[in-house]
Amino acid sequence: MAALRCQPHSSWRPPALATPKMAAVLSPTQPAPKMAARQRRTPRSRWRPSVTAAGGGERGVMPLPAERAVLPAEVLARFVMEAGEVRPGVAAMLRALNEALGRPGALWVKESSARNLRHRDFLAPRAALRAAFPGGQVPADVVELVTSLCGAGVLAVRGAQQTPAGLEVRLQRPEAFRRLLLCCAPDPAPAPAPSVVLHCPALRGPGAPRPRHLRPLLLADHLAQLLRAQGVHVRLVPSLAEEGRRDVLRQLRVDWPAGPADPDLSDVVSALKRALARAPCAAGCGQGLGSAALPADVICKVQLKGFVEQQGLVGYDPNLDVLLVTEGKLRSVAELQQAALQCTAGGQGSCCSIVHVLSCEEEFQQQQLDLLWRILDPGSHTALQKYLVCGPVKVTNPSSPIRADQYLQIRKRQMYKASVMKYGELAQDEAWTEVIDTLTAAAIRFEMLSTAHRSQITLDLQDNSISTKGTKSGTFVMYNCARLATLFDTFQRAVEQGTYPPLPPPSELNFSCLREEGEWLLLFNYLLPFPEVLQQAAQLPAPTKGIRITANTEAVCKFLIQLSMDFSSYYNRVHILGEPFPHLFEQMFARLQLLAAVREVFHSALGTLHLPPLSQI
């Protein structure tokens, strides 16, 4: 992989004996390999203090700030295979298997559990076969078609057999490792991009933001990264003017555009006022009938309910009735309209979609502005408005209503205390501050984003609610990402000291050495489907009814948590860096290549969350 230096190693010669010096450069994150009895008695003063992680077995120190987060587009380009070969994918494989059976519909499923993967990789269940074939018996010539599958994006099949569970398929694993780990093609040419405006009304509300405002903001920030990785032109509105809010979002690593508190939208607002005076459902504009009865700051009133009925719009709140239009509401509409026009100019399409990412408490007011915009601007973009609504955020045991900045500071103090409890007193320097800040941002992002956006989340602010050991948290993900960095740093130091030869080019590696079930689990459940996970998380389907849409915005966080659990289990069980004997290098190099690909998946997925990977633990 790009992160590893590939050099010829024919001149390397192994050390004559496995000395204490050799032991000192073996990975501090790996259990020590078995040595002769005399060498096992070597003093351990060269080793770092032992620290137990979730799952146990880790050695090391707290993570140090690290490499830049790799953006998804930078890594996904490497998944295009050499010589123009198409990268294998789950969708392509399932499509080929279904075509081989010659029956309409999807009959096959991809296995994912470690127990089932010991026996099969894909399964056409018995019930599906009974509906497709007489007696559920697949003809021999059809089984032959399945075993001889080939084509773009298709992995070679090792064998297929019919069992009581159904028709089972196993893949040629060494070939699958080879095809998925030899990824070094140049970036593809950019394709014409659609355009999307992501609008967060939470930034318009008066007063200090609260935790419930953070949820749609973090979701929109994550979604913008996912969409950009798929080539979508994204514009975020409104611009962030208030310095206090900027500081909170900056600490959470939210990449949101900043702008003046009062952008010059006077021409757009004036045009909207003229359109408002001509609107048949508006009353009291200017000096007309009924204007004296309106409050001083109200320009006119608009009959929203009649407009909804006249246009036959579906999905709007039935309680929408009369809207009192103010200068502030027109400015909000003007900023949205300006963003839509700019987004269209930046993209390739004639119009763009508008997605309002908001909390359930903000939806009613946004529907009012939505309808006002439709009345004033009958353009195609106003008809493409969608709502991505976040469920409520409940805070347990608050002494009083809590602000977003207070929530951030509570989590930061808890992260510091949990880290001190695990690692001892931390040095008070810039590096440690950056580590705590990164771990806090990760904890909050996973707390807000690992649950489906439409569901309620509950924030427990007790001191024991943040842990460095929990396997369901962003801290655990960052911890395992740092373990990979430590592994490769240790390997590189050993190469420089002559303990190991440099890693050979990937094309020279023997992937048939990867026989551990944990290795196949990492490849088959994570490396293979990863690009499709990002694509599915970025999909914004049209609403089936009404204006609300549902997106898989929790997919990346769940993917990272599960990857961390399976990687941690493998890493605690398997020695990656072993004794420096030439007959062991073949397997060690193949494992390093696999874990280099896993590391890139970590970095790319964290990049969609604006979280930089930590470099050492």
Side-chain angles (χ1 to χ4, degrees):
M1 306 297 289
L4 299 177
R5 292 188 287 182
C6 302
Q7 306 172 18
H9 60 282
S10 57
S11 60
W12 182 86
R13 294 294 182 269
L17 293 172
T19 64
K21 178 181 179 182
M22 179 274 294
V25 297
L26 292 176
S27 169
T29 62
Q30 292 290 314
K34 295 180 181 179
M35 299 181 180
R38 177 178 60 83
Q39 289 152 351
R40 284 201 301 267
R41 291 194 297 269
T42 301
R44 301 177 63 87
S45 57
R46 301 177 185 231
W47 293 73
R48 296 183 180 180
S50 175
V51 179
T52 302
E58 280 308 302
R59 301 178 181 279
V61 296
M62 269 288 287
L64 297 176
E67 320 156 40
R68 172 183 63 89
V70 180
L71 295 180
E74 300 176 36
V75 175
L76 287 180
R78 302 177 197 171
F79 288 133
V80 182
M81 302 299 294
E82 290 178 321
E85 184 181 358
V86 177
R87 181 187 186 273
V90 175
M93 195 68 205
L94 289 172
R95 185 166 54 249
L97 287 168
N98 283 310
E99 290 172 355
L101 290 186
R103 295 293 187 276
L107 301 182
W108 293 87
V109 294
K110 174 191 174 294
E111 295 290 4
S112 58
S113 71
R115 183 184 64 180
N116 288 339
L117 284 175
R118 295 190 185 99
H119 311 291
R120 58 182 182 253
D121 300 314
F122 292 94
L123 173 70
R126 180 175 55 183
L129 294 179
R130 284 175 177 169
F133 298 97
Q137 186 63 40
V138 183
D141 59 332
V142 176
V143 176
E144 179 64 26
L145 281 176
V146 171
T147 57
S148 58
L149 281 179
C150 61
V154 176
L155 292 168
V157 174
R158 174 185 169 187
Q161 62 176 345
Q162 193 152 2
T163 69
L167 184 58
E168 300 181 344
V169 161
R170 295 203 71 180
L171 300 179
Q172 293 183 16
R173 292 188 173 184
E175 176 66 8
F177 278 110
R178 184 195 70 79
R179 292 186 64 190
L180 283 161
L181 296 180
L182 300 185
C183 309
C184 53
D187 293 354
S195 303
V196 173
V197 170
L198 296 181
H199 172 228
C200 264
L203 290 173
R204 299 187 189 277
R210 302 198 178 279
R212 65 181 174 86
H213 298 125
L214 287 183
R215 189 180 189 185
L217 283 168
L218 292 173
L219 192 150
D221 179 65
H222 177 44
L223 184 57
Q225 283 293 89
L226 291 168
L227 290 169
R228 287 166 180 153
Q230 306 300 324
V232 178
H233 182 75
V234 180
R235 186 168 182 85
L236 301 170
V237 291
S239 297
L240 193 58
E242 189 179 330
E243 185 58 37
R245 296 191 181 194
R246 278 194 211 173
D247 184 58
V248 172
L249 297 189
R250 192 182 302 118
Q251 292 184 65
L252 291 173
R253 304 180 183 275
V254 174
D255 185 17
W256 202 271
D262 190 20
D264 186 14
L265 296 171
S266 54
D267 291 342
V268 183
V269 171
S270 297
L272 292 175
K273 286 182 178 178
R274 291 193 294 270
L276 190 61
R278 298 190 299 267
C281 53
C285 296
Q287 303 300 319
L289 181 65
S291 59
L294 297 177
D297 61 336
V298 173
I299 300 172
C300 70
K301 59 182 179 180
V302 176
Q303 298 290 340
L304 298 180
K305 190 170 186 178
F307 178 77
V308 170
E309 293 172 351
Q310 177 191 358
Q311 299 293 320
L313 301 176
V314 179
Y316 287 87
D317 194 302
N319 295 312
L320 288 167
D321 192 2
V322 176
L323 173 65
L324 300 180
V325 181
T326 63
E327 185 89 12
K329 288 183 172 63
L330 285 181
R331 294 192 68 82
S332 297
V333 170
E335 188 170 6
L336 265 177
Q337 181 166 290
Q338 195 81 342
L341 295 174
Q342 293 173 352
C343 194
T344 302
Q348 301 293 324
S350 58
C351 62
C352 66
S353 298
I354 316 295
V355 180
H356 304 291
V357 187
L358 69 176
S359 66
C360 53
E361 296 92 343
E362 297 162 332
E363 186 177 10
F364 184 83
Q365 289 185 339
Q366 184 54 49
Q367 286 188 15
Q368 291 180 321
L369 291 180
D370 169 348
L371 293 172
L372 177 61
W373 191 16
R374 287 173 183 262
I375 291 169
L376 301 180
D377 180 4
S380 57
H381 48 269
T382 61
L384 296 176
Q385 297 181 78
K386 305 173 186 176
Y387 286 71
L388 193 64
V389 181
C390 296
V393 177
K394 181 181 179 182
V395 180
T396 61
N397 304 317
S399 56
S400 60
I402 187 170
R403 303 191 309 268
D405 58 335
Q406 294 172 323
Y407 165 58
L408 175 63
Q409 292 306 315
I410 288 172
R411 286 292 184 243
K412 186 179 293 188
R413 288 196 301 271
Q414 291 171 341
M415 184 61 66
Y416 182 84
K417 289 170 66 176
S419 299
V420 168
M421 186 177 299
K422 181 173 182 180
Y423 301 104
E425 285 297 327
L426 306 177
Q428 299 296 319
D429 58 22
E430 186 177 342
W432 289 113
T433 301
E434 180 68 19
V435 168
I436 298 299
D437 289 347
T438 301
L439 291 177
T440 303
I444 290 176
R445 279 184 174 267
F446 276 75
E447 195 168 40
M448 291 284 187
L449 298 178
S450 58
T451 301
H453 67 84
R454 57 196 174 276
S455 302
Q456 175 179 299
I457 59 176
T458 302
L459 304 180
D460 184 359
L461 300 185
Q462 296 294 327
D463 281 348
N464 59 2
S465 61
I466 283 288
S467 170
T468 59
K469 297 181 180 181
T471 58
K472 303 291 186 181
S473 68
T475 310
F476 182 66
V477 172
M478 302 299 287
Y479 172 79
N480 280 283
C481 187
R483 294 166 88 180
L484 279 165
T486 301
L487 169 70
F488 286 105
D489 287 345
T490 302
F491 172 73
Q492 192 57 47
R493 289 197 303 270
V495 170
E496 293 168 358
Q497 295 179 18
T499 304
Y500 298 134
L503 187 71
S507 58
E508 297 179 11
L509 299 179
N510 178 12
F511 294 114
S512 63
C513 296
L514 299 177
R515 293 183 288 269
E516 271 274 342
E517 286 299 323
E519 290 154 359
W520 181 246
L521 194 71
L522 291 173
L523 185 98
F524 194 64
N525 279 353
Y526 303 103
L527 299 187
L528 177 65
F530 177 59
E532 290 161 282
V533 169
L534 293 186
Q535 290 169 5
Q536 291 166 7
Q539 286 179 354
L540 295 173
T544 55
K545 184 179 179 181
I547 52 178
R548 283 191 175 195
I549 60 174
T550 300
N552 297 320
T553 50
E554 74 280 8
V556 173
C557 286
K558 288 186 173 180
F559 176 88
L560 280 169
I561 289 169
Q562 193 60 50
L563 170 59
S564 298
M565 293 173 68
D566 286 337
F567 163 71
S568 181
S569 175
Y570 169 75
Y571 195 69
N572 289 335
R573 187 178 69 254
V574 175
H575 292 190
I576 309 301
L577 304 181
E579 297 186 26
F581 299 141
H583 69 281
L584 301 178
F585 290 155
E586 193 172 54
Q587 184 179 63
M588 181 181 73
F589 289 152
R591 285 174 170 171
L592 285 171
Q593 189 69 23
L594 170 64
L595 294 185
V598 170
R599 180 174 63 168
E600 288 203 344
V601 166
F602 266 109
H603 289 193
S604 180
L606 288 173
T608 69
L609 296 162
H610 282 134
L611 291 173
L614 300 176
S615 65
Q616 187 179 2
I617 240 181

